[in-house]
Amino acid sequence: MAVSKACTGLRKVHGLLNDLLDVFNVYKDVLRSNTVDFYTINRIDLLRNANPRLLDEMSKLSGDGLVRLACGEFDLTEERKNDNLCDRNSEETFPEVCKLSQQSQIRCERLEHECHCYYPSAGSFTKSLALEKDASILVKPKEFMNLKKSHEVAEMSHLCSSLIRQQQIEKVIDIGSGKGYLSQYLTLQFGVRVIGIDSSDTNTHGAKERGRKLLKHWKTFMRRSAEQQNKLYPKEVVDPMGQSSVEETNDNSEAIEPEMGDGCTTNEPDESRSLDSTSESAEAMRNVPRLSSLAKVTMTGNQEKPDVNNLPQRNKYSDIESHRSQFEPVTAFVSSATDLASLTASLDVDEGRAFETDPFLLVGLHTCGDLGATLTQLFVDCPSAVAMCLVPCCYHFVTEEFEPKESRFWKAPSELNQWGFPMSQYLRGKEVNIGRDARMLACMAQERMAVDGKIPIRALFFRAVLQVLLRDHYRIPSRKEAVGKLASKCKDFVEYARRAMTKLGFEHEKMTDEEIDQYYQTYLEKMNSLEVFTAARLAFSRMVESLLLLDKLCFLLEQPDVESASIVRLFDPVQSPRCYAVVATKKTAKT
C-alpha cells in the first residue's frame, strides 16, 4: 500500500522535532536559566556540566567569534585569522564549537528547505500558490506606515492575495488586527472584505479613524504610485472604486502620519507587546528579500510598466460608502471556543448573505503569545475557514501545559484548559516542556545582532552585578522584581544601581558611590564568563523557535481536513525578526 504524501510530510516533521529535542535535552538546564542570577548562583557551572569541552573552547574564542556563534554564523576560517590559531588544524581547534554551530543551524537549513514542501495534492506548497504579483498600480504601504510595518504588510498581503485567488474566496478575518494595517491594505489594494477582530476597544476605534483618513487620501497615494511607475498616469488616476479622478486633496489637516510602534497583536485588552521594537537604519535593512526568495514569482504583463488594459477590478463596490463597509473592525476577546460564525453574522450586509456561509481566509500578523495557538485551533474548528496565514511572535507569553507550576510566569488557562504549547499530539505525548527562559531566547533578533556586530552584554552584566549587591545588602538571593531597561539610560553602573534600587523601593543613600563601584570593578574581570554563557544560550535561539513553529505545523498535519501546511520565511529577519509564517489550507469540495 502506497504511503500518502501527508504521512510522509508528518514523518519529516517528526524527524525534525526529534533532532531538535535531542539537542535541547542536552542543554536544557542552560537554556532554562537566566543571567540575572549568573554570579549569585554561578550559572556557568550549568554549561560546564552540560559540555565541559565546549566551555573550554568558547573561552578561547575571540569577541568576534562569540558574536558569530551567538548569531549562528560561526566561521572557523575567520576565527583562525587570530595569531594564536593560525598554525592549528581546523578540525582540532574548536570541534565542540563547530558541532554546536551545526546543531544551531537545524532551523536555518532544514526548516526552510524541508518544511515548505508538505502539500499532499500538488507537491511544493509555496510553488502551488502561483504567487503572481499584481501588475497594476500598487500603492506602497510605506506611504502611511514605518519601514518595518510596511515591509511586513506588503509581503503578507501578497501571500494572502495568492491564497485568496487559489481558494477562490473573497473574505478575510484578521485576528488581533490592532489598528488595521494589514486589513485596510487588503481591502483598499486587493478589494477583499475584511473583518478585523481585536480585544482592545482603543485599537478598534483607532482602526476606524485611521481607515477614514486612509480612504480620504487613497487617491493621492494612487497618484504617487503611478508617477513613480514611469509616470504612466500623470493626469488620470484610477482609484480603488474604479472611478477616474484628477483631483488631489489639499487638505492636510487629517494627514496620515506613519506609526512608529511595533505591530505585535495580543489578545490581552489594551496591551501591545513586542521584543522587536528597535528601529533600524535603512542601511541595516538593505537587501530585503521578497517572496521571490521563497518561490518562483511571475509577473503579469510588463515587469517595469503595468499593463493599462489589464488593470484588475479591485472590488465590486461603486461608491465610497460600500467600499468603506468592506473593512469592519470589531472589539472581541477571542478564544479557542469563540464561534466566529456567530461573531460575524450580525456584521454582514453583503448581498443579504451572512459572512459565515462563505469560505474565508483566517490571518494573524504577529499574534502575541497564545493568540497564535488560538488562531490555529479556530482554523481547524471552523468549517468556513478554508485557509490561514499566521505569523506568531512574543513566545515568552506562551503558556505551556507541562511546565512545572512553580516555574509558570503566567497563571494556567481558564476552564477551557487551552494551552499555547504543545499543540500537536506528537509533542503532547512526549510531555515536552521548553520553559519561559528558553522561550525568551526564541524572541531574540540574531540577524540584527549580526548587523550590530556585538552581543548586548552591558545591560546583562549590570543586572547580574546588581543582583550580587541586592544579595549582600538586602538579602535578596535571586531575582524577584524586574528593573526594566535602565542600562541604556545610565552613564555608568553607579547611576544604574541607584536608579534600580529606587525603583525597587530600597534605601541606598547610605551607600557611597565608591562602595557601589567596587562591585562593578570586582566582577569586571569575570564579565567574559558571562559573555561566553550568553553566547552559548543565544546560539540556540533559532532552534527553540523551530520547536514552537514545528509544533503548529505538526498539529495541522495531524488534522484530517487539512490539505496542506507549510512554514514560509516571509520577511527579512533584520527588518522583522519574527519572519516565519505558518500557512495552511483545507480540503474543499472543489479539491
Side-chain angles (χ1 to χ4, degrees):
M1 182 177 178
V3 180
S4 69
K5 292 184 178 180
C7 293
T8 303
L10 199 55
R11 287 180 181 177
K12 288 183 179 181
V13 174
H14 289 170
L16 277 171
L17 286 170
N18 289 336
D19 290 345
L20 290 167
L21 289 174
D22 287 344
V23 179
F24 180 86
N25 289 331
V26 173
Y27 295 98
K28 61 183 179 182
D29 291 336
V30 175
L31 302 179
R32 290 173 181 165
S33 64
N34 63 82
T35 55
V36 172
D37 300 325
F38 183 77
Y39 295 120
T40 56
I41 303 181
N42 202 18
R43 295 285 189 184
I44 196 67
D45 286 342
L46 296 176
L47 184 56
R48 181 177 288 108
N49 295 336
N51 192 335
R53 290 184 60 186
L54 175 63
L55 176 59
D56 291 341
E57 291 177 13
M58 289 186 65
S59 299
K60 299 174 184 177
L61 289 178
S62 65
D64 289 341
L66 288 174
V67 173
R68 287 193 291 269
L69 179 63
C71 297
E73 300 177 353
F74 182 76
D75 187 348
L76 260 178
T77 303
E78 292 294 325
E79 191 62 24
R80 279 170 54 80
K81 291 180 180 179
N82 294 311
D83 294 337
N84 296 333
L85 304 173
C86 59
D87 295 328
R88 299 184 184 182
N89 180 274
S90 60
E91 284 76 14
E92 297 177 354
T93 304
F94 299 118
E96 292 299 319
V97 170
C98 292
K99 181 179 179 181
L100 173 60
S101 180
Q102 293 172 354
Q103 290 171 333
S104 68
Q105 297 302 312
I106 291 178
R107 166 189 157 188
C108 295
E109 296 179 1
R110 296 181 62 184
L111 188 63
E112 292 185 29
H113 293 295
E114 294 184 22
C115 288
H116 65 273
C117 299
Y118 308 134
Y119 195 74
S121 64
S124 174
F125 178 79
T126 51
K127 290 182 179 179
S128 70
L129 285 178
L131 298 174
E132 295 183 1
K133 294 201 173 178
D134 197 345
S136 62
I137 300 175
L138 291 179
V139 174
K140 303 299 182 182
K142 66 181 180 181
E143 291 273 10
F144 41 90
M145 302 178 201
N146 63 43
L147 285 176
K148 177 179 181 294
K149 179 56 64 177
S150 66
H151 169 60
E152 294 164 352
V153 168
E155 298 300 341
M156 191 162 181
S157 64
H158 281 299
L159 179 55
C160 289
S161 67
S162 298
L163 285 166
I164 289 168
R165 287 196 299 271
Q166 182 204 54
Q167 298 297 310
Q168 300 178 21
I169 55 182
E170 298 180 352
K171 300 180 179 180
V172 175
I173 293 182
D174 185 358
I175 303 293
S177 56
K179 295 182 180 179
Y181 297 104
L182 177 64
S183 299
Q184 291 165 356
Y185 190 71
L186 284 172
T187 295
L188 289 169
Q189 187 67 71
F190 299 102
V192 295
R193 173 86 186 282
V194 182
I195 291 180
I197 303 176
D198 197 272
S199 62
S200 169
D201 191 56
T202 301
N203 281 344
T204 301
H205 176 76
K208 290 179 179 179
E209 183 64 16
R210 186 176 182 277
R212 183 182 65 83
K213 294 179 181 179
L214 184 60
L215 190 61
K216 179 178 180 180
H217 292 272
W218 190 255
K219 292 180 182 180
T220 301
F221 295 145
M222 290 287 289
R223 169 176 293 188
R224 291 175 184 170
S225 297
E227 291 174 350
Q228 290 173 1
Q229 295 181 48
N230 296 326
K231 299 182 179 180
L232 280 176
Y233 310 102
K235 296 181 179 180
E236 183 175 10
V237 178
V238 180
D239 70 17
M241 279 63 74
Q243 301 169 332
S244 297
S245 174
V246 294
E247 297 181 0
E248 179 175 345
T249 176
N250 292 319
D251 181 8
N252 294 321
S253 61
E254 294 185 304
I256 300 175
E257 297 295 332
E259 295 285 345
M260 299 310 296
D262 200 72
C264 167
T265 53
T266 175
N267 214 23
E268 295 295 327
D270 292 312
E271 292 184 14
S272 180
R273 306 180 179 97
S274 176
L275 293 182
D276 305 323
S277 59
T278 304
S279 61
E280 296 295 325
S281 64
E283 181 179 359
M285 298 176 182
R286 64 188 182 278
N287 299 325
V288 175
R290 299 187 68 80
L291 286 174
S292 56
S293 63
L294 306 175
K296 183 177 180 180
V297 179
T298 60
M299 296 290 290
T300 58
N302 191 296
Q303 291 191 11
E304 297 181 356
K305 297 181 180 180
D307 186 351
V308 182
N309 297 320
N310 291 318
L311 289 177
Q313 182 69 27
R314 292 215 176 276
N315 59 69
K316 57 189 173 184
Y317 300 101
S318 59
D319 61 82
I320 290 180
E321 288 303 320
S322 295
H323 179 76
R324 181 181 290 115
S325 68
Q326 283 194 97
F327 171 57
E328 183 70 32
V330 182
T331 301
F333 182 88
V334 176
S335 72
S336 58
T338 298
D339 186 349
L340 290 178
S342 299
L343 181 63
T344 59
S346 61
L347 301 173
D348 195 90
V349 293
D350 181 14
E351 297 181 355
R353 293 186 305 177
F355 192 103
E356 74 276 11
T357 61
D358 290 334
F360 60 83
L361 167 66
L362 198 59
V363 302
L365 174 55
H366 284 155
T367 53
C368 184
D370 285 351
L371 188 56
T374 297
L375 188 151
T376 306
Q377 187 68 57
L378 287 172
F379 167 71
V380 171
D381 294 340
C382 184
S384 296
V386 298
M388 72 164 247
C389 182
L390 160 71
V391 180
C393 74
C394 299
Y395 299 117
H396 55 307
F397 292 138
V398 171
T399 58
E400 293 194 59
E401 181 177 1
F402 301 107
E403 187 173 15
K405 293 183 179 180
E406 62 273 12
S407 302
R408 290 176 184 166
F409 188 77
W410 299 106
K411 295 180 180 179
S414 64
E415 63 277 2
L416 299 173
N417 202 31
Q418 175 67 40
W419 302 89
F421 179 89
M423 294 191 69
S424 65
Q425 290 300 317
Y426 186 73
L427 290 188
R428 293 188 75 239
K430 294 178 178 290
E431 298 187 359
V432 174
N433 163 39
I434 296 178
R436 183 176 186 271
D437 285 310
R439 283 184 276 108
M440 284 286 290
L441 293 174
C443 300
M444 298 295 103
Q446 284 183 303
E447 289 79 6
R448 288 183 178 179
M449 204 181 306
V451 171
D452 293 338
K454 61 182 179 180
I455 298 173
I457 199 67
R458 182 175 183 265
L460 299 177
F461 179 66
F462 277 14
R463 184 63 182 89
V465 176
L466 174 68
Q467 195 62 41
V468 179
L469 187 152
L470 295 177
R471 178 198 63 185
D472 294 349
H473 290 267
Y474 304 100
R475 298 182 179 181
I476 301 179
S478 61
R479 61 174 180 172
K480 295 293 183 181
E481 302 289 343
V483 299
K485 300 179 180 180
L486 292 178
S488 60
K489 305 173 185 177
C490 301
K491 62 180 180 180
D492 54 29
F493 178 72
V494 174
E495 180 184 356
Y496 171 85
R498 291 198 181 280
R499 292 182 63 174
M501 287 187 285
T502 299
K503 184 174 182 178
L504 296 175
F506 296 127
E507 296 182 0
H508 55 85
E509 289 77 9
K510 294 182 180 180
M511 295 181 63
T512 65
D513 289 353
E514 290 73 18
E515 287 180 285
I516 297 176
D517 187 63
Q518 186 59 45
Y519 279 92
Y520 174 80
Q521 297 300 332
T522 299
Y523 284 91
L524 190 59
E525 61 184 24
K526 301 179 182 180
M527 188 168 65
N528 179 254
S529 62
L530 175 62
E531 190 170 11
V532 167
F533 186 76
T534 302
R537 296 184 72 244
L538 287 172
F540 289 102
S541 62
R542 290 171 173 168
M543 187 189 72
V544 176
E545 186 179 18
S546 297
L547 273 173
L548 293 156
L549 289 169
L550 284 170
D551 174 55
K552 288 183 174 61
L553 180 64
C554 187
F555 170 77
L556 289 167
L557 290 173
E558 290 171 347
Q559 310 307 313
D561 293 336
V562 172
E563 180 187 35
S564 62
S566 171
I567 294 175
V568 180
R569 178 168 163 173
L570 195 57
F571 308 137
D572 168 27
V574 174
Q575 199 162 2
S576 183
R578 305 284 69 80
C579 59
Y580 284 94
V582 181
V583 189
T585 59
K586 283 182 184 174
K587 298 174 183 177
T588 58
K590 65 178 182 294
T591 58

